[in-house]
Amino acid sequence: MLKDLAASIVMPAYRAQGTIARAVASALAQTHVHFELIVVADDEEDYEAVLGRAGIADPRLRFLSSGLIGAGSCPARNVGLDAARYEIAAILDADDAFKPEKLEIMVPLAIQYGLVSCALDVTTPEGAHLRYVGKGENRLLSPGDYKFTNFSMDSMLVHDRRRADPRFSTTQPSMTDLDFLLKLFATVPACFHVGAPLHDYVKMPVSLSNGPGVTQRMVTSKTMMRKGLAEGRYPLADPTGIVGMGRFLDISLAAEKTYAPRPGANPPDLFEDHIEPLLER
């Protein structure tokens, strides 16, 4: 049935007037056409009107509000997940983009495995390619191995809500995608990884420069998660994954302390470039 293959894409939007048209257009260009795209405004903006002025309208688009202003992507994502009509869920931030085949490839795999990731095409806001993360062979990743392949952001995930249906943390200062992933791993024992880059991850300027406060927020969040693993707050369907995930967080915390991006470097100094060699030791 078409409904079984349909997906709900959740898009939080905050001050996204300059980027949302590209993001939504990438969803509407999917070769897999059975989906809804739920845009959740976190700034009281009328994004239906914003998209209309860009010539974008489609019956698969739905527009909701978080009821808040600048509360962050997590409350808005949760509103979208609560409103989702379909069992397969994907996240698309309003400054990122899907490659055209993303849903066609990942939706059937999500149904089969419960959870699927893909390689990332990391770009500048202007669309210039910076690097890939996770590119290579398709393979099944245990919780302990996952972050040693997907060592950057995790919002490229597609999951089957019948197997796991968590919500995003509204209390962590950052690393909420990883917290969400660990909640998925509570009932899904492994993630199928697609080695083709099917998701454009746009590095915004604050990410490029690791601007004021970013490092401390990351250290605080990673420390919280490391403590949570040690104290059993993240029970996993595959409990052996706790060791590997803890090792990744230890390496990542050490990497934060030595990461020193050069202001104005072109190409920019990426945290992904800094941490990857450490993960290979």
Side-chain angles (χ1 to χ4, degrees), residues 16-29:
Q17 295 87 344
T19 62
I20 194 169
R22 173 180 179 265
V24 170
S26 77
L28 298 180

Side-chain angles (χ1 to χ4, degrees), residues 124-163:
T124 68
E126 295 74 32
H129 170 75
L130 295 173
R131 63 162 296 156
Y132 296 115
V133 173
K135 186 177 180 182
E137 297 181 358
N138 294 352
R139 56 200 179 278
L140 199 63
L141 297 175
S142 71
D145 293 332
Y146 176 92
K147 289 305 294 182
F148 290 87
T149 294
N150 295 317
F151 50 85
S152 195
M153 59 90 86
D154 298 299
S155 67
M156 79 302 209
L157 297 170
V158 178
H159 70 280
D160 187 338
R161 298 166 64 228
R162 292 165 293 197
R163 301 274 293 275

Side-chain angles (χ1 to χ4, degrees), residues 16-275:
Q17 295 87 344
T19 62
I20 194 169
R22 173 180 179 265
V24 170
S26 77
L28 298 180
Q30 290 296 291
T31 54
H32 180 91
V33 299
H34 306 296
F35 65 85
E36 62 174 356
L37 173 55
I38 307 169
V39 177
V40 184
D42 190 43
D43 55 4
E44 295 189 332
E45 178 64 80
D46 182 350
Y47 283 105
E48 185 172 15
V50 171
L51 292 170
R53 290 192 290 271
I56 297 175
D58 191 283
R60 293 169 294 181
L61 299 179
R62 297 173 59 195
F63 297 92
L64 302 177
S65 171
S66 69
L68 304 166
I69 299 177
S73 63
C74 290
R77 287 176 174 181
N78 291 341
V79 167
L81 288 171
D82 289 342
R85 294 170 176 161
Y86 304 123
E87 301 300 339
I88 306 303
I91 301 295
L92 175 58
D93 289 341
D95 53 7
D96 288 346
F98 286 173
K99 303 292 191 187
E101 302 84 8
K102 174 165 178 168
L103 293 183
E104 180 180 358
I105 293 172
M106 295 182 72
V107 166
L109 290 169
I111 293 171
Q112 181 177 358
Y113 293 97
L115 176 63
V116 58
S117 61
C118 69
L120 300 171
D121 186 353
V122 184
T123 76
T124 68
E126 295 74 32
H129 170 75
L130 295 173
R131 63 162 296 156
Y132 296 115
V133 173
K135 186 177 180 182
E137 297 181 358
N138 294 352
R139 56 200 179 278
L140 199 63
L141 297 175
S142 71
D145 293 332
Y146 176 92
K147 289 305 294 182
F148 290 87
T149 294
N150 295 317
F151 50 85
S152 195
M153 59 90 86
D154 298 299
S155 67
M156 79 302 209
L157 297 170
V158 178
H159 70 280
D160 187 338
R161 298 166 64 228
R162 292 165 293 197
R163 301 274 293 275
D165 194 21
R167 296 296 182 266
F168 287 87
S169 171
T170 58
T171 58
Q172 284 201 184
S174 58
M175 300 294 290
T176 52
D177 287 343
L178 183 54
D179 173 84
F180 187 77
L181 170 70
L182 288 170
K183 293 172 183 174
L184 291 169
F185 275 139
T187 53
V188 180
C191 175
F192 189 87
H193 177 70
V194 178
L198 300 175
H199 190 111
D200 288 352
Y201 170 32
V202 176
K203 280 280 191 176
M204 301 304 289
V206 67
S207 298
L208 294 175
S209 63
N210 205 16
V214 172
T215 296
Q216 187 54 52
R217 288 197 300 274
M218 297 298 284
V219 167
T220 298
S221 290
K222 290 174 183 178
T223 301
M224 288 172 58
M225 297 189 72
R226 188 67 184 90
K227 183 178 179 182
L229 278 171
E231 294 178 348
R233 292 202 298 269
Y234 290 108
L236 304 182
D238 176 4
T240 64
I242 292 174
V243 174
M245 190 65 70
R247 178 170 171 259
F248 167 78
L249 285 169
D250 289 341
I251 293 171
S252 190
L253 278 164
E256 292 284 0
K257 296 176 182 178
T258 56
Y259 178 50
R262 296 165 297 167
N266 187 18
D269 295 326
L270 300 177
F271 185 74
E272 288 84 353
D273 292 336
H274 178 64
I275 192 174

